[in-house]
Short mmCIF file of all heavy atoms in Angstrom, two decimals:
data_model
loop_
_atom_site.label_atom_id
_atom_site.label_comp_id
_atom_site.label_asym_id
_atom_site.label_seq_id
_atom_site.Cartn_x
_atom_site.Cartn_y
_atom_site.Cartn_z
N LYS C 182 -68.10 -23.17 17.28
CA LYS C 182 -67.33 -24.36 17.60
C LYS C 182 -66.84 -24.97 16.29
O LYS C 182 -67.48 -24.83 15.25
CB LYS C 182 -68.19 -25.36 18.35
CG LYS C 182 -68.76 -24.82 19.66
CD LYS C 182 -69.72 -25.82 20.28
CE LYS C 182 -70.35 -25.25 21.54
NZ LYS C 182 -71.35 -26.19 22.13
N VAL C 183 -65.73 -25.66 16.34
CA VAL C 183 -65.16 -26.25 15.12
C VAL C 183 -65.00 -27.75 15.30
O VAL C 183 -64.48 -28.21 16.32
CB VAL C 183 -63.79 -25.62 14.78
CG1 VAL C 183 -63.24 -26.24 13.49
CG2 VAL C 183 -63.92 -24.11 14.63
N GLU C 184 -65.46 -28.50 14.31
CA GLU C 184 -65.33 -29.95 14.31
C GLU C 184 -64.51 -30.38 13.10
O GLU C 184 -64.77 -29.93 11.98
CB GLU C 184 -66.70 -30.61 14.25
CG GLU C 184 -66.66 -32.13 14.27
CD GLU C 184 -68.04 -32.76 14.26
OE1 GLU C 184 -69.04 -32.01 14.22
OE2 GLU C 184 -68.12 -34.00 14.27
N ALA C 185 -63.49 -31.21 13.31
CA ALA C 185 -62.64 -31.69 12.23
C ALA C 185 -63.18 -33.03 11.71
O ALA C 185 -63.38 -33.96 12.49
CB ALA C 185 -61.21 -31.85 12.70
N LEU C 186 -63.42 -33.10 10.39
CA LEU C 186 -63.93 -34.30 9.75
C LEU C 186 -63.02 -34.68 8.59
O LEU C 186 -62.28 -33.84 8.07
CB LEU C 186 -65.35 -34.08 9.21
CG LEU C 186 -66.42 -33.65 10.21
CD1 LEU C 186 -67.70 -33.32 9.44
CD2 LEU C 186 -66.68 -34.74 11.24
N ASP C 187 -63.10 -35.92 8.17
CA ASP C 187 -62.41 -36.33 6.96
C ASP C 187 -62.81 -35.39 5.82
O ASP C 187 -63.99 -35.03 5.69
CB ASP C 187 -62.77 -37.77 6.60
CG ASP C 187 -61.98 -38.30 5.43
OD1 ASP C 187 -62.32 -37.93 4.28
OD2 ASP C 187 -61.04 -39.07 5.65
N ALA C 188 -61.85 -34.99 5.00
CA ALA C 188 -62.12 -34.02 3.94
C ALA C 188 -63.27 -34.46 3.03
O ALA C 188 -64.01 -33.62 2.50
CB ALA C 188 -60.86 -33.78 3.12
N ALA C 189 -63.41 -35.76 2.82
CA ALA C 189 -64.46 -36.27 1.95
C ALA C 189 -65.85 -36.11 2.56
O ALA C 189 -66.86 -36.20 1.85
CB ALA C 189 -64.21 -37.74 1.62
N PHE C 190 -65.92 -35.86 3.88
CA PHE C 190 -67.21 -35.81 4.56
C PHE C 190 -67.65 -34.41 4.96
O PHE C 190 -68.77 -34.24 5.46
CB PHE C 190 -67.17 -36.70 5.81
CG PHE C 190 -66.91 -38.15 5.51
CD1 PHE C 190 -66.07 -38.89 6.33
CD2 PHE C 190 -67.49 -38.78 4.42
CE1 PHE C 190 -65.80 -40.22 6.06
CE2 PHE C 190 -67.24 -40.11 4.14
CZ PHE C 190 -66.40 -40.84 4.96
N THR C 191 -66.81 -33.41 4.76
CA THR C 191 -67.24 -32.06 5.16
C THR C 191 -68.43 -31.60 4.32
O THR C 191 -69.32 -30.92 4.85
CB THR C 191 -66.09 -31.04 5.05
OG1 THR C 191 -65.60 -31.00 3.71
CG2 THR C 191 -64.96 -31.38 6.01
N ALA C 192 -68.46 -31.98 3.05
CA ALA C 192 -69.58 -31.58 2.20
C ALA C 192 -70.87 -32.28 2.63
O ALA C 192 -71.94 -31.65 2.71
CB ALA C 192 -69.28 -31.89 0.74
N THR C 193 -70.78 -33.56 2.93
CA THR C 193 -71.98 -34.31 3.33
C THR C 193 -72.46 -33.92 4.72
O THR C 193 -73.58 -34.26 5.11
CB THR C 193 -71.73 -35.82 3.27
OG1 THR C 193 -70.64 -36.15 4.14
CG2 THR C 193 -71.39 -36.26 1.86
N SER C 194 -71.62 -33.19 5.46
CA SER C 194 -72.01 -32.75 6.80
C SER C 194 -72.87 -31.49 6.77
O SER C 194 -73.40 -31.09 7.81
CB SER C 194 -70.77 -32.48 7.65
OG SER C 194 -70.13 -31.26 7.26
N LEU C 195 -73.01 -30.86 5.61
CA LEU C 195 -73.71 -29.57 5.53
C LEU C 195 -75.11 -29.57 6.16
O LEU C 195 -75.49 -28.58 6.80
CB LEU C 195 -73.79 -29.10 4.08
CG LEU C 195 -72.50 -28.50 3.49
CD1 LEU C 195 -72.70 -28.11 2.04
CD2 LEU C 195 -72.03 -27.30 4.31
N PRO C 196 -75.90 -30.64 6.03
CA PRO C 196 -77.22 -30.60 6.68
C PRO C 196 -77.15 -30.56 8.20
O PRO C 196 -78.12 -30.15 8.87
CB PRO C 196 -77.89 -31.91 6.21
CG PRO C 196 -77.17 -32.26 4.94
CD PRO C 196 -75.76 -31.83 5.18
N ASP C 197 -76.02 -30.96 8.76
CA ASP C 197 -75.90 -31.10 10.22
C ASP C 197 -75.10 -30.00 10.89
O ASP C 197 -75.06 -29.94 12.12
CB ASP C 197 -75.26 -32.44 10.55
CG ASP C 197 -76.01 -33.61 9.94
OD1 ASP C 197 -77.25 -33.64 10.07
OD2 ASP C 197 -75.35 -34.47 9.33
N VAL C 198 -74.44 -29.15 10.10
CA VAL C 198 -73.63 -28.08 10.67
C VAL C 198 -74.04 -26.74 10.06
O VAL C 198 -74.77 -26.70 9.06
CB VAL C 198 -72.12 -28.31 10.41
CG1 VAL C 198 -71.66 -29.60 11.10
CG2 VAL C 198 -71.82 -28.37 8.91
N ALA C 199 -73.57 -25.67 10.68
CA ALA C 199 -73.90 -24.35 10.15
C ALA C 199 -73.21 -24.07 8.83
O ALA C 199 -73.76 -23.43 7.93
CB ALA C 199 -73.54 -23.28 11.18
N ALA C 200 -71.98 -24.58 8.71
CA ALA C 200 -71.19 -24.37 7.50
C ALA C 200 -70.02 -25.33 7.53
O ALA C 200 -69.72 -25.94 8.57
CB ALA C 200 -70.71 -22.92 7.40
N ALA C 201 -69.34 -25.47 6.40
CA ALA C 201 -68.20 -26.38 6.34
C ALA C 201 -67.19 -25.88 5.33
O ALA C 201 -67.54 -25.34 4.27
CB ALA C 201 -68.66 -27.79 5.95
N ILE C 202 -65.92 -26.04 5.68
CA ILE C 202 -64.83 -25.82 4.73
C ILE C 202 -64.76 -27.05 3.84
O ILE C 202 -64.61 -28.18 4.33
CB ILE C 202 -63.49 -25.62 5.45
CG1 ILE C 202 -63.50 -24.34 6.29
CG2 ILE C 202 -62.33 -25.62 4.44
CD1 ILE C 202 -63.42 -23.05 5.50
N ILE C 203 -64.87 -26.85 2.52
CA ILE C 203 -64.89 -27.98 1.60
C ILE C 203 -63.71 -27.88 0.64
O ILE C 203 -63.55 -26.88 -0.08
CB ILE C 203 -66.21 -28.04 0.81
CG1 ILE C 203 -67.39 -28.16 1.79
CG2 ILE C 203 -66.21 -29.21 -0.16
CD1 ILE C 203 -68.76 -28.16 1.11
N ASN C 204 -62.89 -28.90 0.66
CA ASN C 204 -61.75 -29.02 -0.24
C ASN C 204 -62.23 -28.89 -1.69
O ASN C 204 -63.27 -29.43 -2.06
CB ASN C 204 -61.10 -30.39 0.01
CG ASN C 204 -59.87 -30.65 -0.80
OD1 ASN C 204 -59.84 -30.45 -2.00
ND2 ASN C 204 -58.83 -31.12 -0.14
N ASN C 205 -61.48 -28.17 -2.51
CA ASN C 205 -61.87 -27.95 -3.90
C ASN C 205 -62.17 -29.24 -4.65
O ASN C 205 -62.97 -29.26 -5.58
CB ASN C 205 -60.79 -27.17 -4.64
CG ASN C 205 -60.74 -25.71 -4.23
OD1 ASN C 205 -61.77 -25.07 -4.07
ND2 ASN C 205 -59.55 -25.19 -4.03
N ASP C 206 -61.51 -30.33 -4.28
CA ASP C 206 -61.74 -31.60 -4.96
C ASP C 206 -63.16 -32.10 -4.80
O ASP C 206 -63.64 -32.90 -5.61
CB ASP C 206 -60.79 -32.67 -4.42
CG ASP C 206 -59.39 -32.53 -4.97
OD1 ASP C 206 -59.17 -31.67 -5.83
OD2 ASP C 206 -58.51 -33.29 -4.52
N PHE C 207 -63.86 -31.66 -3.74
CA PHE C 207 -65.17 -32.21 -3.43
C PHE C 207 -66.31 -31.23 -3.68
O PHE C 207 -67.48 -31.58 -3.50
CB PHE C 207 -65.21 -32.67 -1.97
CG PHE C 207 -64.17 -33.71 -1.65
CD1 PHE C 207 -63.05 -33.37 -0.90
CD2 PHE C 207 -64.29 -35.00 -2.13
CE1 PHE C 207 -62.08 -34.32 -0.61
CE2 PHE C 207 -63.32 -35.96 -1.85
CZ PHE C 207 -62.21 -35.62 -1.09
#
Side-chain angles (χ1 to χ4, degrees):
K182 301 174 183 177
V183 181
E184 181 178 0
L186 302 173
D187 186 283
F190 299 139
T191 59
T193 59
S194 75
L195 283 179
D197 305 313
V198 297
I202 295 287
I203 301 177
N204 183 310
N205 287 318
D206 283 355
F207 301 107

